[in-house]
Amino acid sequence: MSITTIELPTGALRHEIDVAAESLPAVAPAALEIAWEVARSAAAAGLWGPARLLAFADGVEIALNDPDAASWAEAMSRHSGVDSLPGLALCLRLLALVELLGRASWTRGMFTIGPDGAEFQPALLAAAACAPLDATGRFDEAAMRAMLARSLPRAVPPA
């Protein structure tokens, strides 16, 4: 399994990945928490990165051209590399967690974000570290809810 990176004429980076996003491995919950802090610090310091295109073996392409996503992907590239499946898995799981927290109101109360950083319930990080990703690199919300409902039954309302 490999990842090939090509710089496009626009300056964007194209990462050609020989597996589907759903096949990316789990990561350690502690690694995900560290990745959050590394990416947040890089963004706060104004360390922006190039747009990136993730091209998976199944034909799915994920564009990371939003400045925030590009910044966090650059931070992960510097921190753990996105040229390996474990490094790319950490990057995508981090971005999927950001996306989920911003969209899914049922996650409120499982995390706090303040000027000094973020605090997550351990069960949230554990679920994000190993929950299935869908073809677009996002969390399968039903699977994530079910995982969290088992570990935090009162905190996760039924779907």
Side-chain angles (χ1 to χ4, degrees):
M1 294 186 233
S2 67
I3 299 174
T4 303
T5 302
I6 302 164
E7 184 172 353
L8 300 174
T10 62
L13 298 177
R14 177 183 173 87
H15 302 282
E16 296 177 352
I17 303 125
D18 67 0
V19 299
E22 299 103 307
S23 298
L24 290 174
V27 301
L32 194 55
E33 187 170 29
I34 291 167
W36 179 287
E37 288 305 318
V38 166
R40 185 193 62 77
S41 295
L47 298 176
W48 308 111
R52 294 171 190 266
L53 181 64
L54 308 178
F56 289 93
D58 59 0
V60 172
E61 293 186 347
I62 301 170
L64 302 177
N65 51 15
D66 168 88
D68 292 323
S71 172
W72 284 46
E74 178 66 14
M76 290 301 90
S77 180
R78 293 175 186 215
H79 172 67
S80 58
V82 293
D83 55 349
S84 69
L85 292 181
L88 182 63
L90 182 60
C91 180
L92 266 186
R93 288 179 179 285
L94 175 64
L95 293 173
L97 180 60
V98 170
E99 189 272 337
L100 180 72
L101 298 180
R103 173 179 47 81
S105 61
W106 57 267
T107 63
R108 305 300 186 274
M110 293 182 204
F111 67 97
T112 57
I113 298 175
D116 295 328
E119 289 186 33
F120 301 95
Q121 287 191 6
L124 176 62
L125 287 177
C130 66
L133 294 171
D134 68 14
T136 65
R138 291 181 175 89
F139 288 122
D140 177 318
E141 190 170 344
M144 189 74 146
R145 283 178 79 111
M147 291 172 79
L148 286 164
R150 285 191 294 277
S151 57
L152 301 168
R154 290 182 299 244
V156 181

